[in-house]
Amino acid sequence: MGGTNVWDAEWEVNEEQARTLIGRQFPQLSSKQVKRLGWGWDNTVFLIGDEYVFRFPRRSIAVGSIHMEGKLLPKLEAYMTIPYPKPLFYGEASDEYPAPFLGYAYVPGDFPIGLTEERRALSAETLAKFLRRLHEFPVQAALKCGVQQDHRNLTDIASRKVKLEGFLSKVVEHLSPEESGVIEAYISRLQKDRVEAVNALLHGDLHFKNMLVNENGIVSGIIDWGDLNVGHPACDLSVAYSFLPPYARGVFFETYGGADEETKLLARLIAVYIPMLILMQAVDDGNEAIAAEAKSNIMRALLD
Protein backbone atom coordinates (compact mmCIF):
# COMPACT_ATOMS: atom_id res chain seq x y z
CA MET A 1 0.00 0.00 0.00
CA GLY A 2 3.09 2.22 -0.05
CA GLY A 3 2.75 5.77 -1.33
CA THR A 4 -1.04 5.81 -1.37
CA ASN A 5 -1.96 6.60 2.23
CA VAL A 6 -2.34 10.00 3.86
CA TRP A 7 0.17 8.90 6.52
CA ASP A 8 2.97 7.96 4.06
CA ALA A 9 6.13 10.04 4.63
CA GLU A 10 7.84 12.43 2.22
CA TRP A 11 10.96 12.53 4.41
CA GLU A 12 12.15 9.72 6.65
CA VAL A 13 14.62 10.57 9.42
CA ASN A 14 16.54 7.78 11.15
CA GLU A 15 18.42 7.93 14.46
CA GLU A 16 21.77 8.62 12.82
CA GLN A 17 20.39 11.55 10.78
CA ALA A 18 18.58 12.95 13.81
CA ARG A 19 21.80 12.78 15.86
CA THR A 20 23.70 14.65 13.14
CA LEU A 21 21.03 17.32 12.58
CA ILE A 22 20.58 17.98 16.31
CA GLY A 23 24.34 17.93 17.03
CA ARG A 24 25.10 20.50 14.31
CA GLN A 25 22.56 23.04 15.53
CA PHE A 26 22.67 22.25 19.27
CA PRO A 27 26.22 21.10 20.10
CA GLN A 28 25.35 21.00 23.81
CA LEU A 29 23.18 17.95 23.05
CA SER A 30 25.68 16.11 20.84
CA SER A 31 26.86 13.73 23.59
CA LYS A 32 23.33 12.56 24.46
CA GLN A 33 21.81 9.30 23.30
CA VAL A 34 19.26 9.54 20.47
CA LYS A 35 16.44 7.00 20.36
CA ARG A 36 13.47 6.93 18.03
CA LEU A 37 10.26 6.90 20.08
CA GLY A 38 7.81 6.53 17.22
CA TRP A 39 6.03 8.38 14.46
CA GLY A 40 2.63 9.73 13.63
CA TRP A 41 1.16 10.89 10.37
CA ASP A 42 3.09 14.15 10.44
CA ASN A 43 6.24 13.74 12.53
CA THR A 44 8.99 11.33 13.56
CA VAL A 45 9.80 11.63 17.26
CA PHE A 46 13.14 11.06 19.00
CA LEU A 47 14.11 10.96 22.69
CA ILE A 48 17.35 12.84 23.39
CA GLY A 49 18.96 11.61 26.60
CA ASP A 50 16.05 11.37 29.00
CA GLU A 51 15.21 15.09 29.09
CA TYR A 52 14.17 16.17 25.60
CA VAL A 53 12.02 15.08 22.69
CA PHE A 54 12.60 16.26 19.11
CA ARG A 55 9.96 16.14 16.39
CA PHE A 56 10.92 16.11 12.71
CA PRO A 57 8.16 16.65 10.12
CA ARG A 58 7.62 13.66 7.80
CA ARG A 59 5.51 15.62 5.33
CA SER A 60 5.54 19.18 3.97
CA ILE A 61 2.00 19.71 5.31
CA ALA A 62 3.43 19.48 8.85
CA VAL A 63 5.94 22.32 8.45
CA GLY A 64 3.38 25.08 9.15
CA SER A 65 2.38 23.24 12.33
CA ILE A 66 5.97 23.23 13.60
CA HIS A 67 6.21 27.03 13.10
CA MET A 68 2.84 27.57 14.77
CA GLU A 69 3.62 25.30 17.74
CA GLY A 70 6.89 27.12 18.32
CA LYS A 71 4.98 30.39 18.65
CA LEU A 72 1.83 29.30 20.47
CA LEU A 73 2.80 26.50 22.86
CA PRO A 74 4.89 28.75 25.16
CA LYS A 75 1.88 31.10 25.47
CA LEU A 76 -0.34 28.24 26.72
CA GLU A 77 1.66 27.65 29.88
CA ALA A 78 -0.62 29.69 32.18
CA TYR A 79 -3.64 27.72 30.88
CA MET A 80 -2.21 24.23 31.20
CA THR A 81 -3.39 21.99 34.05
CA ILE A 82 -1.72 18.83 32.67
CA PRO A 83 1.98 18.64 31.68
CA TYR A 84 2.65 19.23 27.99
CA PRO A 85 5.83 19.49 25.86
CA LYS A 86 7.18 23.07 25.91
CA PRO A 87 9.40 24.02 22.94
CA LEU A 88 13.00 24.70 23.95
CA PHE A 89 15.07 24.12 20.79
CA TYR A 90 14.14 25.63 17.43
CA GLY A 91 15.90 23.73 14.64
CA GLU A 92 16.16 25.31 11.17
CA ALA A 93 15.87 23.78 7.71
CA SER A 94 19.18 23.00 5.98
CA ASP A 95 20.57 21.35 2.84
CA GLU A 96 20.52 18.01 4.65
CA TYR A 97 16.93 18.23 5.83
CA PRO A 98 14.42 20.60 4.22
CA ALA A 99 12.18 21.38 7.20
CA PRO A 100 12.38 23.11 10.57
CA PHE A 101 12.20 20.85 13.63
CA LEU A 102 11.48 21.38 17.31
CA GLY A 103 12.91 20.11 20.59
CA TYR A 104 10.75 20.03 23.71
CA ALA A 105 10.95 19.16 27.38
CA TYR A 106 10.23 15.42 27.68
CA VAL A 107 6.90 14.57 29.33
CA PRO A 108 7.13 11.13 31.01
CA GLY A 109 4.31 8.59 31.02
CA ASP A 110 2.84 5.62 29.19
CA PHE A 111 0.17 5.45 26.53
CA PRO A 112 -3.24 4.52 28.00
CA ILE A 113 -3.49 1.16 26.29
CA GLY A 114 -5.52 -1.63 27.87
CA LEU A 115 -6.64 0.36 30.94
CA THR A 116 -9.63 -0.88 32.91
CA GLU A 117 -12.81 1.20 32.81
CA GLU A 118 -12.32 1.99 36.52
CA ARG A 119 -8.85 3.42 35.85
CA ARG A 120 -10.16 5.50 32.95
CA ALA A 121 -12.91 6.98 35.10
CA LEU A 122 -10.27 8.36 37.49
CA SER A 123 -9.26 10.92 34.81
CA ALA A 124 -12.74 12.38 34.19
CA GLU A 125 -12.22 15.55 36.24
CA THR A 126 -8.56 15.91 35.23
CA LEU A 127 -9.45 15.87 31.52
CA ALA A 128 -12.46 18.16 31.95
CA LYS A 129 -10.46 20.80 33.86
CA PHE A 130 -7.70 20.63 31.26
CA LEU A 131 -10.13 21.19 28.38
CA ARG A 132 -12.09 23.89 30.18
CA ARG A 133 -8.91 25.95 30.61
CA LEU A 134 -7.53 25.24 27.12
CA HIS A 135 -10.85 26.27 25.54
CA GLU A 136 -10.68 29.56 27.49
CA PHE A 137 -7.51 30.65 25.67
CA PRO A 138 -8.27 33.80 23.60
CA VAL A 139 -9.11 32.78 20.04
CA GLN A 140 -7.70 36.01 18.53
CA ALA A 141 -4.33 35.45 20.21
CA ALA A 142 -4.23 31.92 18.76
CA LEU A 143 -5.09 33.14 15.24
CA LYS A 144 -2.27 35.70 15.43
CA CYS A 145 0.16 32.80 15.98
CA GLY A 146 -0.91 31.24 12.68
CA VAL A 147 -3.45 28.73 13.98
CA GLN A 148 -5.91 27.63 11.29
CA GLN A 149 -9.64 28.11 11.73
CA ASP A 150 -11.81 24.99 11.27
CA HIS A 151 -9.63 23.71 8.42
CA ARG A 152 -11.23 20.26 8.77
CA ASN A 153 -14.81 21.52 8.56
CA LEU A 154 -15.66 19.82 11.85
CA THR A 155 -19.32 20.81 11.90
CA ASP A 156 -20.11 19.07 8.57
CA ILE A 157 -21.62 15.83 9.87
CA ALA A 158 -22.98 14.71 6.48
CA SER A 159 -19.57 14.50 4.77
CA ARG A 160 -17.96 12.89 7.83
CA LYS A 161 -20.71 10.26 7.81
CA VAL A 162 -19.90 9.39 4.17
CA LYS A 163 -16.19 9.12 5.00
CA LEU A 164 -16.96 6.94 8.01
CA GLU A 165 -18.89 4.52 5.79
CA GLY A 166 -15.82 4.33 3.54
CA PHE A 167 -13.51 3.67 6.50
CA LEU A 168 -15.82 0.92 7.78
CA SER A 169 -15.75 -0.87 4.43
CA LYS A 170 -11.93 -0.91 4.59
CA VAL A 171 -11.65 -2.40 8.09
CA VAL A 172 -14.79 -4.54 8.23
CA GLU A 173 -12.82 -7.79 7.98
CA HIS A 174 -10.89 -6.78 11.13
CA LEU A 175 -14.12 -6.35 13.13
CA SER A 176 -16.46 -8.98 14.51
CA PRO A 177 -19.94 -9.10 12.90
CA GLU A 178 -21.32 -7.67 16.15
CA GLU A 179 -18.85 -4.75 16.15
CA SER A 180 -19.47 -3.86 12.51
CA GLY A 181 -23.24 -4.16 13.10
CA VAL A 182 -23.11 -1.72 16.03
CA ILE A 183 -21.07 0.79 13.99
CA GLU A 184 -23.35 0.46 10.93
CA ALA A 185 -26.43 1.01 13.09
CA TYR A 186 -24.84 4.11 14.62
CA ILE A 187 -23.95 5.59 11.22
CA SER A 188 -27.46 5.00 9.90
CA ARG A 189 -28.95 6.82 12.92
CA LEU A 190 -26.93 9.98 12.17
CA GLN A 191 -29.63 12.15 10.63
CA LYS A 192 -28.30 15.64 11.33
CA ASP A 193 -26.22 17.13 8.49
CA ARG A 194 -24.46 19.92 10.33
CA VAL A 195 -24.17 21.62 13.72
CA GLU A 196 -23.73 25.33 14.47
CA ALA A 197 -20.13 26.55 14.42
CA VAL A 198 -18.49 27.39 17.76
CA ASN A 199 -14.94 28.70 18.07
CA ALA A 200 -12.44 27.67 20.72
CA LEU A 201 -8.74 26.87 20.68
CA LEU A 202 -8.47 23.08 20.29
CA HIS A 203 -5.73 20.52 20.82
CA GLY A 204 -7.36 19.08 17.70
CA ASP A 205 -6.18 15.48 17.93
CA LEU A 206 -6.99 14.25 21.42
CA HIS A 207 -6.85 10.44 21.43
CA PHE A 208 -4.98 7.66 23.21
CA LYS A 209 -1.82 8.00 21.09
CA ASN A 210 -1.48 11.65 22.19
CA MET A 211 -2.19 11.11 25.90
CA LEU A 212 0.10 9.81 28.62
CA VAL A 213 -0.83 8.25 31.96
CA ASN A 214 1.10 7.74 35.19
CA GLU A 215 1.55 4.43 37.07
CA ASN A 216 -2.03 4.75 38.42
CA GLY A 217 -3.45 5.09 34.93
CA ILE A 218 -4.37 8.77 35.47
CA VAL A 219 -3.74 11.17 32.57
CA SER A 220 -0.40 12.88 33.26
CA GLY A 221 0.57 14.38 29.90
CA ILE A 222 -0.93 15.63 26.64
CA ILE A 223 1.45 15.46 23.68
CA ASP A 224 1.54 16.11 19.91
CA TRP A 225 0.06 19.58 19.53
CA GLY A 226 0.58 19.77 15.75
CA ASP A 227 -3.17 19.92 15.10
CA LEU A 228 -3.81 22.99 17.27
CA ASN A 229 -6.64 24.86 15.58
CA VAL A 230 -9.67 27.02 16.24
CA GLY A 231 -12.97 25.19 15.86
CA HIS A 232 -15.79 23.36 17.59
CA PRO A 233 -14.98 22.23 21.17
CA ALA A 234 -16.66 18.88 20.38
CA CYS A 235 -13.44 17.91 18.62
CA ASP A 236 -11.60 17.72 21.97
CA LEU A 237 -14.66 16.75 24.02
CA SER A 238 -14.75 13.52 21.99
CA VAL A 239 -12.37 12.17 24.64
CA ALA A 240 -15.38 11.89 26.98
CA TYR A 241 -16.71 9.17 24.67
CA SER A 242 -13.59 7.43 23.35
CA PHE A 243 -11.60 7.42 26.60
CA LEU A 244 -14.12 7.54 29.47
CA PRO A 245 -16.68 4.89 30.37
CA PRO A 246 -20.33 6.06 30.12
CA TYR A 247 -20.76 6.39 33.89
CA ALA A 248 -17.88 8.94 34.12
CA ARG A 249 -19.23 11.29 31.45
CA GLY A 250 -21.65 13.10 33.76
CA VAL A 251 -18.81 14.21 36.04
CA PHE A 252 -16.72 15.14 33.00
CA PHE A 253 -19.33 17.45 31.46
CA GLU A 254 -20.30 18.91 34.84
CA THR A 255 -16.66 19.79 35.55
CA TYR A 256 -16.13 21.13 32.02
CA GLY A 257 -19.11 23.46 32.38
CA GLY A 258 -21.77 21.66 30.38
CA ALA A 259 -22.33 20.92 26.70
CA ASP A 260 -25.49 21.03 24.60
CA GLU A 261 -26.92 18.06 22.70
CA GLU A 262 -25.42 19.16 19.36
CA THR A 263 -21.98 19.32 20.94
CA LYS A 264 -22.39 15.85 22.44
CA LEU A 265 -23.63 14.46 19.12
CA LEU A 266 -20.58 15.82 17.29
CA ALA A 267 -18.21 14.76 20.11
CA ARG A 268 -19.44 11.17 19.87
CA LEU A 269 -19.08 11.16 16.09
CA ILE A 270 -15.46 12.33 16.33
CA ALA A 271 -14.87 9.74 19.07
CA VAL A 272 -15.73 7.07 16.48
CA TYR A 273 -14.11 8.81 13.50
CA ILE A 274 -10.60 9.36 14.89
CA PRO A 275 -10.13 5.82 16.30
CA MET A 276 -11.42 4.46 12.97
CA LEU A 277 -8.57 6.30 11.22
CA ILE A 278 -6.12 4.97 13.84
CA LEU A 279 -7.49 1.45 13.28
CA MET A 280 -6.94 1.75 9.52
CA GLN A 281 -3.33 2.85 10.02
CA ALA A 282 -2.70 0.15 12.67
CA VAL A 283 -4.02 -2.53 10.28
CA ASP A 284 -1.75 -1.14 7.55
CA ASP A 285 1.24 -1.21 9.96
CA GLY A 286 0.35 -4.64 11.38
CA ASN A 287 0.20 -3.16 14.90
CA GLU A 288 -2.23 -5.40 16.77
CA ALA A 289 -2.01 -3.60 20.14
CA ILE A 290 -2.93 -0.22 18.60
CA ALA A 291 -5.64 -1.83 16.46
CA ALA A 292 -7.21 -3.48 19.54
CA GLU A 293 -7.13 -0.22 21.52
CA ALA A 294 -8.65 1.73 18.61
CA LYS A 295 -11.48 -0.83 18.37
CA SER A 296 -12.17 -0.62 22.10
CA ASN A 297 -12.26 3.20 21.83
CA ILE A 298 -14.86 2.97 19.04
CA MET A 299 -17.05 0.49 20.92
CA ARG A 300 -16.81 2.50 24.16
CA ALA A 301 -17.84 5.67 22.31
CA LEU A 302 -21.03 3.93 21.17
CA LEU A 303 -22.06 2.88 24.68
CA ASP A 304 -24.63 5.00 26.50
Side-chain angles (χ1 to χ4, degrees):
M1 290 170 82
T4 58
N5 294 313
V6 286
W7 50 79
D8 290 333
E10 290 168 39
W11 316 305
E12 293 287 8
V13 180
N14 61 30
E15 287 179 359
E16 196 53 49
Q17 288 167 307
R19 184 179 289 107
T20 302
L21 291 166
I22 293 166
R24 289 227 170 109
Q25 295 195 36
F26 309 106
Q28 69 272 38
L29 303 180
S30 57
S31 65
K32 294 189 181 293
Q33 191 178 7
V34 174
K35 179 185 164 200
R36 189 172 78 162
L37 279 183
W39 65 95
W41 287 25
D42 293 337
N43 300 281
T44 308
V45 184
F46 297 89
L47 181 63
I48 314 303
D50 53 10
E51 309 135 275
Y52 309 113
V53 166
F54 273 73
R55 288 168 76 215
F56 289 83
R58 302 174 78 227
R59 309 187 297 144
S60 50
I61 199 168
V63 170
S65 295
I66 287 282
H67 283 303
M68 176 270 296
E69 277 187 64
K71 281 189 199 159
L72 182 55
L73 282 179
K75 293 181 175 16
L76 293 183
E77 189 162 7
Y79 290 78
M80 288 291 108
T81 60
I82 296 178
Y84 76 111
K86 295 179 198 109
L88 301 170
F89 302 97
Y90 293 74
E92 293 173 2
S94 63
D95 292 343
E96 292 151 313
Y97 178 71
F101 54 95
L102 268 183
Y104 313 74
Y106 173 61
V107 179
D110 297 305
F111 292 120
I113 292 174
L115 292 181
T116 64
E117 300 304 287
E118 291 74 20
R119 287 274 161 128
R120 292 168 179 280
L122 296 175
S123 291
E125 288 186 51
T126 305
L127 283 167
K129 282 176 186 161
F130 161 73
L131 289 175
R132 187 177 71 207
R133 286 294 287 141
L134 174 63
H135 294 169
E136 285 169 356
F137 187 86
V139 165
Q140 288 311 117
L143 294 172
K144 274 185 191 156
C145 290
V147 173
Q148 289 185 289
Q149 186 152 5
D150 197 25
H151 62 300
R152 285 176 296 184
N153 207 1
L154 282 171
T155 54
D156 183 355
I157 291 175
S159 70
R160 206 163 282 266
K161 179 178 172 177
V162 172
K163 286 181 185 165
L164 202 50
E165 286 167 339
F167 298 164
L168 182 58
S169 68
K170 286 184 181 169
V171 296
V172 72
E173 69 213 52
H174 301 277
L175 299 165
S176 70
E178 186 190 1
E179 287 167 339
S180 57
V182 168
I183 298 166
E184 273 172 28
Y186 165 70
I187 294 172
S188 69
R189 285 198 308 273
L190 277 172
Q191 296 306 320
K192 206 173 188 69
D193 285 344
R194 175 173 283 282
V195 299
E196 285 296 312
V198 182
N199 284 324
L201 178 65
L202 308 175
H203 175 278
D205 199 22
L206 198 55
H207 55 73
F208 69 91
K209 288 177 77 180
N210 290 336
M211 297 161 67
L212 299 172
V213 293
N214 62 20
E215 63 280 3
N216 299 315
I218 296 171
V219 175
S220 59
I222 303 291
I223 60 171
D224 195 347
W225 291 74
D227 280 303
L228 271 165
N229 69 97
V230 166
H232 202 296
C235 180
D236 288 349
L237 296 175
S238 63
V239 76
Y241 295 91
S242 59
F243 185 82
L244 296 176
Y247 65 85
R249 291 173 194 156
V251 167
F252 173 91
F253 283 114
E254 198 179 310
T255 307
Y256 176 76
D260 60 27
E261 289 313 305
E262 277 201 348
T263 297
K264 289 180 177 178
L265 176 93
L266 182 55
R268 194 192 294 266
L269 171 57
I270 293 166
V272 175
Y273 189 92
I274 293 178
M276 192 72 93
L277 277 169
I278 295 170
L279 175 58
M280 284 164 61
Q281 186 181 10
V283 165
D284 193 51
D285 290 343
N287 190 325
E288 288 178 19
I290 296 290
E293 184 64 29
K295 272 197 273 189
S296 80
N297 274 238
I298 294 164
M299 302 319 291
R300 183 180 299 106
L302 295 178
L303 292 172
D304 282 317

